[in-house]
């Protein structure tokens, strides 16, 4: 993942991009915690709200792998289904870890 | 709505200096902040709707960017609230939403001026710059209210589903009869459903963002605060009774799952108590009605015999004035007794036979004329709706009910006074209909208000009970209002009474409207009319059969009598060609009047039948009338009634 090229494409300076990526990682980790808790307590509305937030931010930052996986989860949880989400959830976590690595956050 | 902005002159420059941005996502908030700051704006940010309102208390921006889906007052409601603030009238409101890229959203209806679709930041920032330029040069306004940036639209399944879900949940929350308020941990209102708005008074815009305690009476604050404090995870607080907007309201707090917010559930206790009391009263009156209806049956048969014998004696009394005078008195007494049983039957809701589409105004005017002739000290003030909907009623019964109400009003105004009568067309909504246990729809409303002494609550509660009277012994039977109640209920209507000592009394009646046309009225004959035809008389009560036979024979008819349905059918079979008319009792053992009527029709589809009964079974009677029965007579009847009814049926064209 070339964060510099991504920043250029979005018209953001490096420092600014780093700042929003840091915010994205922080808020996404918090949202993933809310999402996991909602899945554990069987709360589809809570799960979709948490994942919706990640999806919007990822879309804005051009993080298409995350926004795609989040969209899949959101669609399913809006239908009241909290099963079969493991793969997409793992993909999001993986991508967040990856971005954190590139951005030097982890 | 935002006219100040719409009406501004074109090409007037408008620098955008101060901007407020509201979005719950920190990434979006930072990006929006940065792009606006780069454009030279002073930017203030907020993470939810409630914080925006707090900021606006002391800060006036030129433009506010508002995320559509936000916690603690969403974008739509926030726009409406801001637009209801007079000093924010010229602020530009811009919705920023991912939803807007995928489907149309009515942001102008909420008071917003423009909408930017969320998407990849490079494209979104171009839309923001474009918008700021349009605002500053004022070219934005005449360009119309459009969404900027829809070219990067995304597939729409999720958003549409999300919107559907949101609107479905809104519909559910609007439909329930409890008031629901969502509050933040600090007690600020972030959601309120329509029922909660109605219970607490005011408007959604005014209630949102206020402190929950402010919706209740000041002395209730400690109780409300205590309930709010005691609500915790998986624990719903016990129902508290508090005063809000002059009403007694139940108050429960429920924590929101996986959230720090809480729900306050409100219920109008006054309304609930009223409904329970109404139900108890209706059940009590129904039980009394069943009892009263049964007594009336036996009593009526006795009266029928006395009436019949008296009529026959009157025919033979010749010039003997003493006999005639006394027999007339007996007739009057019988009629008083019959009147009482009729009222009992009306109360039992069993007296409605011939319903016709009717203009209630005609009945009001006729009854007023009749009443006004005898009670000169009473002023009757009429306010009648010109194009009143028709109602399907038994005219005689409704007229009787009206007279009973006037008499009640007159008795409450010993020194004279005014009776105000008002008719109007009304549409009863679901809630109003629920309260009255009726169907929603079109009704004709009649209000009868007097300026009399009024009554206390204890009397008001018992006013429709039969034989309940506040008058001295001998001055009233206590059946007048009971029969009004039965008549109205028997017509699937509703009657309510409001009264206070010294304040007069108001009766309000609702009768279901009908789309049927009102037919012209017919005039009743008054003479005794003889005849020569043959009549089959069917009645299981021997005394009644005997007296009616003699009445018919004295009129010149030939009578064949039967004491049960089986015999009646056999006699009809044998004498089919010479029987011109059947007078049929409705309630008989073994075969009912209806069964006999159907069997007679099978033998002769053109058979002419008059239904006669003392015990009113409205459903059966209505069924027979609908099946083609020619007329109906209520016992006890006079020879005059009998002769007229027979001639009406026999002389009518086939």
């Amino acid at each position: 993942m070339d964060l510099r090229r991504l920043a250029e494409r979005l018209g953001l300076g490096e420092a600014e991009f780093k700042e929003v990526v840091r915010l994205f990682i922080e808020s996404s980790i918090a949202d993933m915690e809310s999402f996991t808790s909602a899945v554990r307590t069987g709360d589809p509305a809570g799960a979709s709200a948490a994942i919706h937030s990640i999806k919007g931010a990822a879309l804005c930052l051009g993080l298409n792998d995350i926004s795609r996986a989040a969209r899949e989860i959101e669609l399913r949880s809006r239908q009241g289904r909290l099963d079969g989400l493991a793969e997409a959830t793992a993909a999001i976590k993986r991508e967040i870890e990856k971005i954190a690595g590139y951005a030097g956050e982890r | 709505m935002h006219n100040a902005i719409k009406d501004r002159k074109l090409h007037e420059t408008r620098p955008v200096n101060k901007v407020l941005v509201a979005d719950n996502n920190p990434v979006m908030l930072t990006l929006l902040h940065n792009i606006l700051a780069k454009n030279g704006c002073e930017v203030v940010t907020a993470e939810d709707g409630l914080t925006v309102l707090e900021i606006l208390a002391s800060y006036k921006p030129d433009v506010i960017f508002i995320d559509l889906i936000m916690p603690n007052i969403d974008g739509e409601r926030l726009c409406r609230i801001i637009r209801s603030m007079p000093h924010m009238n010229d602020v530009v409101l811009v919705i920023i939403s991912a939803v807007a890229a995928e489907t149309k959203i009515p942001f102008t209806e909420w008071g917003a001026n423009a909408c930017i679709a969320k998407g990849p930041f490079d494209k979104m920032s171009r839309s923001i710059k474009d918008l700021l330029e349009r605002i500053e040069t004022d070219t934005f306004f005449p360009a119309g209210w459009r969404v900027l940036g829809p070219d990067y639209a995304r597939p729409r399944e999720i958003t549409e589903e999300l919107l559907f879900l949101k609107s479905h949940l809104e519909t559910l929350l609007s439909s329930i009869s409890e008031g629901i308020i969502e509050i933040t941990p600090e007690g600020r209102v972030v959601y309120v459903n329509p029922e909660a708005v109605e219970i607490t008074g005011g408007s959604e815009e005014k209630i949102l963002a206020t402190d929950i305690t402010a919706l209740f009476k000041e002395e209730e604050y400690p109780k409300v605060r205590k309930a709010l404090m005691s609500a915790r995870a998986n624990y719903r607080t016990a129902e508290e009774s508090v005063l809000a907007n002059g009403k007694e309201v139940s108050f429960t707090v429920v924590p929101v799952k996986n959230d720090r917010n809480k729900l306050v559930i409100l219920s109008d206790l006054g309304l609930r108590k009223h409904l329970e009391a109404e139900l108890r009263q209706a059940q009590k009156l129904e039980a009394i009605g069943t009892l009263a209806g049964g007594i009336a049956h036996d009593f009526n048969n006795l009266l029928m015999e006395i009436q019949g014998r008296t009529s026959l004696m009157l025919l033979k009394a010749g010039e003997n004035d003493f006999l005639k005078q006394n027999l007339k008195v007996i007739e009057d007494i019988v009629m008083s007794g019959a009147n009482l049983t009729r009222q009992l039957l009306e109360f039992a809701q069993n007296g409605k036979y011939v319903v016709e589409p009717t203009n209630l105004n005609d009945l009001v005017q006729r009854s007023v004329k009749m009443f006004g002739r005898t009670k000169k000290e009473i002023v009757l003030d009429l306010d009648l709706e010109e194009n009143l909907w028709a109602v399907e009623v038994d005219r005689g019964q409704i007229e009787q009910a009206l007279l009973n109400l006037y008499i009640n009003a007159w008795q409450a105004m010993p020194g004279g006074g005014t009776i105000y009568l008002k008719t109007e067309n009304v549409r009863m909504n679901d809630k109003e209909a629920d309260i009255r246990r009726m169907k929603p729809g079109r009704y004709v409303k009649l209000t009868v208000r007097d300026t009399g002494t009024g009554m206390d609550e204890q009397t008001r509660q018992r006013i429709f009970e039969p034989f309940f009277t506040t008058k001295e012994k001998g001055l009233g039977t206590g059946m007048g209002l009971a029969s009004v109640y039965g008549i109205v209920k028997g017509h699937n209507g509703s009657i309510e009474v409001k009264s206070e000592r010294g304040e007069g009394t108001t009766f309000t009646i609702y009768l279901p409207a009908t789309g049927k046309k009102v037919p012209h009225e017919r005039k009743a004959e008054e003479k005794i009319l003889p005849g020569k035809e043959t009549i089959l008389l069917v009645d299981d009560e021997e005394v009644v059969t005997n007296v009616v036979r003699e009445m018919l024979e004295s009129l010149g008819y030939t009578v064949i009598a039967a004491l049960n349905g089986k015999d009646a059918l056999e006699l009809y079979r044998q004498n089919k060609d010479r029987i011109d008319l059947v007078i049929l009792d409705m309630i008989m053992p073994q075969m009912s009047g209806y069964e006999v009527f159907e069997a007679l029709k099978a033998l002769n589809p053109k058979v002419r039948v008059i239904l006669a009964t003392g015990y009113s079974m409205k459903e059966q009677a209505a069924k027979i009338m609908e099946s083609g029965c020619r007329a109906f007579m209520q016992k006890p009847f006079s020879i005059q009634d009998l002769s007229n009814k027979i001639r009406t049926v026999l002389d009518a064209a086939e």
Side-chain angles (χ1 to χ4, degrees):
Chain A
M1 183 180 282
D2 189 342
L3 291 183
R4 187 174 294 173
R5 274 187 62 190
L6 197 57
E8 277 172 18
R9 205 168 69 207
L10 295 175
L12 295 170
E14 198 179 338
E16 189 184 3
F17 188 63
K18 271 198 163 181
E19 162 71 1
V20 288
V21 165
R22 186 186 59 78
L23 278 174
F24 174 76
I25 293 163
E26 271 175 27
S27 61
S28 298
I29 289 170
D31 286 335
M32 281 312 282
E33 275 169 16
S34 303
F35 169 75
T36 311
S37 158
V39 170
R40 203 172 37 240
T41 55
D43 173 17
S48 58
I51 215 74
H52 177 77
S53 179
I54 297 176
K55 187 194 76 174
L59 187 68
C60 186
L61 292 176
L63 302 170
N64 295 336
D65 289 342
I66 297 181
S67 67
R68 248 193 315 271
R71 185 172 163 269
E72 191 188 319
I73 296 174
E74 189 182 9
L75 187 60
R76 215 173 160 84
S77 51
R78 290 272 175 222
Q79 291 165 345
R81 294 173 61 188
L82 294 177
D83 57 316
L85 301 179
E87 201 178 314
T89 309
I92 292 175
K93 282 183 179 166
R94 214 166 37 238
E95 284 300 313
I96 293 172
E97 288 286 334
K98 226 194 278 182
I99 295 163
Y102 289 134
E105 284 288 316
R106 290 281 160 106
Chain B
M1 188 162 61
H2 46 79
N3 284 338
I5 295 169
K6 277 176 84 176
D7 298 343
R8 283 214 346 256
K9 288 177 193 163
L10 302 184
H11 310 301
E12 180 187 320
T13 55
R14 178 192 170 92
V16 177
N17 296 321
K18 294 195 274 185
V19 177
L20 174 56
V21 182
D23 198 308
N24 65 312
N25 188 294
V27 176
M28 294 300 301
L29 205 56
T30 307
L31 287 170
L32 288 168
H33 173 276
N34 293 355
I35 184 86
L36 289 162
K38 276 180 203 165
N39 275 273
C41 304
E42 173 191 296
V43 187
V44 176
T45 59
E47 289 189 1
D48 60 18
L50 206 52
T51 313
V52 170
L53 295 176
E54 276 165 9
I55 292 169
L56 292 182
S58 56
Y59 183 76
K60 191 186 172 189
D62 301 312
V63 182
I64 310 177
F65 288 88
I66 301 170
D67 183 21
L68 181 60
I69 299 169
M70 266 189 313
N72 296 341
I73 307 181
D74 62 24
E76 176 189 338
R77 287 192 169 81
L78 188 60
C79 284
R80 289 186 196 275
I81 296 173
I82 295 171
R83 282 293 174 232
S84 72
M85 301 172 168
H87 66 293
M88 291 289 158
N89 202 25
D90 57 347
V91 172
V92 176
L93 298 183
V94 182
I95 288 281
I96 38 176
S97 162
V99 176
E102 302 170 10
T103 190
K104 273 190 177 175
I105 54 169
F107 60 92
T108 56
E109 285 176 21
W110 312 333
N113 304 95
C115 180
I116 290 179
K118 275 186 186 173
F121 184 71
D122 51 332
K123 291 175 181 169
M124 221 173 99
S125 61
R126 275 203 295 276
S127 296
I128 291 171
K129 279 182 192 167
D130 181 23
L131 180 77
L132 290 176
E133 201 175 304
R134 283 167 186 269
I135 295 171
E136 287 185 334
T137 58
D138 228 12
T139 50
F140 154 69
F141 301 109
W145 318 80
R146 68 183 188 95
V147 177
L148 298 172
D151 52 317
Y152 43 83
R154 306 286 301 176
R156 57 180 55 194
E157 309 95 278
I158 294 179
T159 310
E160 285 201 339
E161 196 161 346
L162 192 148
L163 284 180
F164 168 76
L165 201 73
K166 185 170 178 279
S167 113
H168 184 61
L169 287 174
E170 289 277 346
T171 309
L172 290 182
L173 287 165
S174 304
S175 308
I176 56 176
S177 57
E178 262 108 9
I180 298 196
I181 299 175
E182 184 187 357
I183 53 166
T184 62
E186 296 74 35
R188 303 284 295 277
V189 177
V190 291
Y191 172 80
V192 58
N193 77 340
E195 184 62 22
V197 173
E198 195 174 322
I199 290 175
T200 55
S203 65
E204 186 186 19
E205 285 80 13
K206 280 191 180 151
I207 296 170
L208 285 174
T210 56
D211 189 304
I212 178 92
T213 49
L215 302 177
F216 302 92
K217 269 200 127 186
E218 208 173 332
E219 58 259 39
E220 306 288 7
Y221 290 179
K223 217 191 270 183
V224 172
R225 287 198 187 108
K226 196 180 160 197
L228 292 172
M229 297 278 285
S230 56
R232 52 185 185 274
N234 302 320
Y235 176 77
R236 180 187 177 122
T237 62
E239 252 184 39
E240 288 280 358
S241 167
V242 291
L243 281 173
N245 188 27
K247 295 175 195 154
E248 196 186 351
V249 171
S250 89
F251 177 101
T252 319
V253 187
V254 185
V256 178
K257 207 172 169 186
N258 294 328
D259 202 330
R260 293 177 63 227
N261 283 3
K262 289 167 187 166
L263 291 182
V264 172
I265 318 279
L266 302 177
S267 174
D268 187 341
L269 278 179
L271 182 66
R272 202 196 293 172
K273 281 180 185 168
H274 171 75
L275 289 176
E276 284 167 3
E278 286 280 306
L279 183 65
R280 271 197 306 275
Q281 181 70 355
Q283 284 169 337
K284 186 167 85 179
L285 292 177
E286 200 181 318
I288 301 172
T290 310
L291 195 68
I295 295 166
H297 172 217
D298 295 341
F299 193 60
N300 232 27
N301 275 334
L302 297 174
L303 289 176
M304 180 66 235
E305 191 182 7
I306 300 168
Q307 172 67 65
R309 297 283 164 209
T310 313
S311 283
L312 289 170
M313 282 193 275
L314 265 172
L315 284 176
K316 303 278 178 193
E319 298 305 311
N320 188 333
D321 286 343
F322 173 79
L323 269 182
K324 275 166 85 173
Q325 210 175 336
N326 280 285
L327 287 167
K328 288 258 185 220
V329 171
I330 295 175
E331 264 198 333
D332 288 345
I333 294 168
V334 169
M335 286 329 288
S336 299
N339 200 32
L340 201 62
T341 53
R342 179 183 51 73
Q343 287 181 317
L344 268 173
L345 287 167
E346 283 164 354
F347 171 70
Q349 299 171 40
N350 279 327
K352 189 181 79 179
Y353 302 104
V354 188
V355 291
E356 288 175 285
T358 305
N359 185 333
L360 193 63
N361 285 346
D362 294 344
L363 300 186
V364 169
Q365 275 161 335
R366 208 158 61 191
S367 55
V368 158
K369 211 167 150 188
M370 212 186 298
F371 181 78
R373 270 203 296 266
T374 55
K375 305 286 182 290
K376 305 281 185 200
E377 69 278 24
I378 302 291
V379 177
L380 289 142
D381 182 291
L382 270 63
D383 176 8
L384 307 180
E385 175 138 358
E386 213 171 299
N387 297 310
L388 195 67
W389 294 328
V391 285
E392 241 180 324
V393 296
D394 183 317
R395 294 179 184 189
Q397 276 206 333
I398 295 294
E399 229 168 60
Q400 186 60 53
L402 291 171
L403 286 170
N404 288 359
L405 287 175
Y406 306 159
I407 289 165
N408 184 71
W410 165 69
Q411 286 169 337
M413 300 187 289
T418 306
I419 301 177
Y420 295 93
L421 290 150
K422 188 178 181 181
T423 56
E424 50 194 313
N425 296 327
V426 293
R427 284 182 193 278
M428 214 181 274
N429 63 29
D430 289 354
K431 193 175 170 189
E432 292 162 334
D434 257 8
I435 292 170
R436 300 184 174 95
R437 295 194 306 284
M438 293 164 90
K439 287 180 188 161
R442 300 190 316 145
Y443 284 84
V444 168
K445 179 180 173 186
L446 166 73
T447 315
V448 181
R449 180 166 69 87
D450 66 49
T451 54
T453 50
M455 56 186 121
D456 57 29
E457 181 55 21
Q458 212 176 356
T459 307
R460 195 196 67 82
Q461 282 181 8
R462 299 191 61 193
I463 200 74
F464 295 123
E465 284 177 25
F467 305 113
F468 174 78
T469 178
T470 53
K471 295 177 206 83
E472 284 172 41
K473 203 174 172 187
L475 290 180
T477 59
M479 279 309 296
L481 292 177
S483 75
V484 174
Y485 176 88
I487 290 170
V488 174
K489 288 282 174 189
H491 284 82
N492 301 318
S494 149
I495 181 163
E496 289 154 23
V497 56
K498 274 188 186 164
S499 187
E500 264 179 60
R501 273 252 174 258
E503 297 291 318
T505 301
T506 305
F507 287 92
T508 309
I509 292 172
Y510 294 90
L511 293 169
T514 175
K516 293 181 188 170
K517 280 197 170 175
V518 179
H520 292 296
E521 275 191 64
R522 298 177 301 273
K523 294 220 165 165
E525 294 283 344
E526 287 187 352
K527 290 179 192 163
I528 295 177
L529 304 170
K532 290 187 185 312
E533 289 88 342
T534 300
I535 295 174
L536 171 62
L537 174 66
V538 192
D539 199 309
D540 66 310
E541 299 274 350
E542 202 169 350
V543 284
V544 175
T545 312
N546 288 342
V547 77
V548 178
R549 174 204 280 269
E550 285 182 51
M551 287 162 90
L552 290 169
E553 284 173 348
S554 72
L555 289 167
Y557 295 102
T558 303
V559 179
I560 303 171
L563 288 171
N564 60 58
K566 207 176 148 199
D567 289 355
L569 289 174
E570 190 50 44
L571 285 167
Y572 191 79
R573 251 184 230 110
Q574 289 166 12
N575 301 283
K576 195 175 148 192
D577 296 336
R578 68 185 190 103
I579 291 175
D580 302 291
L581 176 74
V582 181
I583 296 178
L584 179 64
D585 185 28
M586 198 169 67
I587 307 296
M588 292 188 296
Q590 292 157 355
M591 273 184 100
S592 71
Y594 180 70
E595 286 167 322
V596 176
F597 178 67
E598 286 297 313
L600 286 170
K601 269 207 312 185
L603 293 171
N604 175 14
K606 290 183 178 173
V607 64
R608 293 172 194 238
V609 177
I610 295 175
L611 195 64
T613 184
Y615 187 40
S616 314
M617 296 284 285
K618 66 175 178 188
E619 277 167 23
Q620 276 208 38
K623 209 158 122 187
I624 300 179
M625 296 301 286
E626 277 166 23
S627 303
C629 180
R630 304 299 173 107
F632 170 82
M633 278 204 305
Q634 170 137 20
K635 295 182 207 169
F637 42 79
S638 68
I639 197 158
Q640 191 180 314
D641 296 337
L642 180 66
S643 74
N644 278 289
K645 196 69 83 176
I646 292 171
R647 286 319 328 157
T648 307
V649 173
L650 287 177
D651 297 341
E654 274 301 331

